[in-house]
Amino acid sequence: MRIKAVTGRTILWIFLLVLAFVTLIPVVITLLGSFKTNMELTTGATFLPERWQISNYAEAWEQANFSTYTLNSLIVSLSTVVGTLLVSSMAAYVVDRMDFTGKKLYIGLQSFTMFVAVGAVVLRPQFDLMVKLHLHSSLWGVILILISAHAAIFFILLSFMKGIPRELDEAARIDGSSLGRTFWTIILPLLGPGLGVGALFTFRGAWNEYLLPLVFTMTKPELQTLTVGLANLKYGISAASQTHYMMAGACLSILPILVAYVFANKSFMQMTAGSLKG
């Protein structure tokens, strides 16, 4: 029995180590490549840079207009996070606490949008819809479409909502609190861990979105996001490939996601520790 347990644990550790290696090795290669010259990257002769090219980051920042693109990405990502959390949390509260006609149909439709990846198929209808709303040449069209894809966050918050006792709602109702006031003052603060997790996933998805910003900013390049602007580093003025600048730019673009992860993870741990103490 003990041999079977040790064997199972060993296989699990080997699997996790292989998974970690496959996940981390592209990140390490990109990080090291961002400090190499273009010649070193093209030939691939060395694993470590012969001479660490710190200037690659300054060149990438200047050539890709990172300050403007970073601001655009932050506007899209933060607006999407706020909108998605608002819509998802209110929908989860109503679905969990109330009975209404079409409730099962609504949950089924939310599930349908998660498991059917339509991708670029709906890009044209989405663009036509934003044209009618006069949002096709602004970032608000992108933000609205990203908020509409909130099904995964809805189900995350719905699972957290089920852990909040209904007695709190009943006590608030006895004290004369309305449905909306109960949600904002009692339920929403208790959803902190779920909101932190949802914010992290939403921010990551919005930050890495490429196709929608590319299509909606074709007529206004100054509104491009960072992921779209990174593609401009592929070729320089001489039309030569600039892979080293692209890798430096990719490393710079990862930093905001790491910051968001640190903040969301810290919030999640604090809320979990607080609930255990309580």
Side-chain angles (χ1 to χ4, degrees):
M1 199 68 182
R2 181 177 174 78
I3 295 176
K4 289 179 77 175
V6 172
T7 304
R9 203 159 39 236
T10 303
I11 294 174
L12 177 63
W13 271 106
I14 292 174
F15 173 75
L16 292 176
L17 287 174
V18 170
L19 195 64
F21 178 79
V22 172
T23 303
L24 291 178
I25 196 62
V27 179
V28 174
I29 291 175
T30 301
L31 183 62
L32 293 176
S34 67
F35 291 103
K36 293 181 180 178
T37 63
N38 206 26
M39 180 64 73
E40 286 178 282
L41 276 173
T42 305
T43 58
T46 60
F47 181 71
L48 293 175
E50 292 183 358
R51 187 175 177 181
W52 296 78
Q53 303 291 329
I54 309 295
S55 60
N56 286 349
Y57 283 85
E59 289 291 335
W61 181 276
E62 185 177 347
Q63 288 194 26
N65 198 11
F66 258 57
S67 56
T68 301
Y69 295 153
T70 300
L71 179 62
N72 293 336
S73 288
L74 284 175
I75 292 173
V76 171
S77 302
L78 294 177
S79 301
T80 303
V81 167
V82 173
T84 300
L85 293 184
L86 277 176
V87 172
S88 302
S89 60
M90 288 190 290
Y93 180 61
V94 172
V95 168
D96 185 61
R97 295 297 203 261
M98 300 180 69
D99 291 322
F100 55 89
T101 306
K103 179 177 176 178
K104 291 184 178 178
L105 176 62
Y106 176 77
I107 296 175
L109 288 175
Q110 289 278 22
S111 304
F112 178 78
T113 59
M114 284 182 61
F115 294 104
V116 179
V118 288
V121 176
V122 296
L123 190 58
R124 178 57 188 271
Q126 288 175 337
F127 187 78
D128 291 341
L129 178 61
M130 291 303 138
V131 168
K132 291 181 180 179
L133 295 175
H134 303 288
L135 296 174
H136 60 288
S137 59
S138 72
L139 293 176
W140 290 111
V142 178
I143 293 169
L144 281 179
I145 294 174
L146 290 176
I147 291 174
S148 67
H150 63 273
I153 309 303
F154 163 75
F155 283 108
I156 289 175
L157 294 180
L158 185 61
S159 65
F160 276 89
M161 191 75 71
K162 293 182 182 300
I164 300 176
R166 291 172 179 267
E167 288 77 9
L168 292 175
D169 299 62
E170 296 171 1
R173 196 179 304 119
I174 292 172
D175 290 340
S177 178
S178 63
L179 185 69
R181 187 179 177 187
T182 302
F183 171 74
W184 286 106
T185 59
I186 298 176
I187 303 300
L188 197 59
L190 295 176
L191 275 179
L195 293 175
V197 175
L200 178 61
F201 289 158
T202 306
F203 186 89
R204 186 189 62 180
W207 186 269
N208 292 329
E209 179 63 35
Y210 174 76
L211 191 56
L212 281 174
L214 174 67
V215 172
F216 281 79
T217 60
M218 280 184 173
T219 57
K220 290 187 175 180
E222 67 275 13
L223 294 179
Q224 289 179 349
T225 58
L226 201 53
T227 50
V228 180
L230 269 177
N232 298 333
L233 286 172
K234 187 175 182 180
Y235 296 108
I237 300 175
S238 60
S241 176
Q242 299 184 133
T243 311
H244 57 319
Y245 291 155
M246 284 195 70
M247 289 192 171
C251 291
L252 287 172
S253 67
I254 292 174
L255 292 178
I257 297 179
L258 293 178
V259 173
Y261 173 78
V262 169
F263 276 100
N265 188 50
K266 185 179 179 182
S267 172
F268 177 78
M269 295 301 292
Q270 285 178 342
M271 291 298 292
T272 305
S275 63
L276 289 175
K277 289 178 182 177

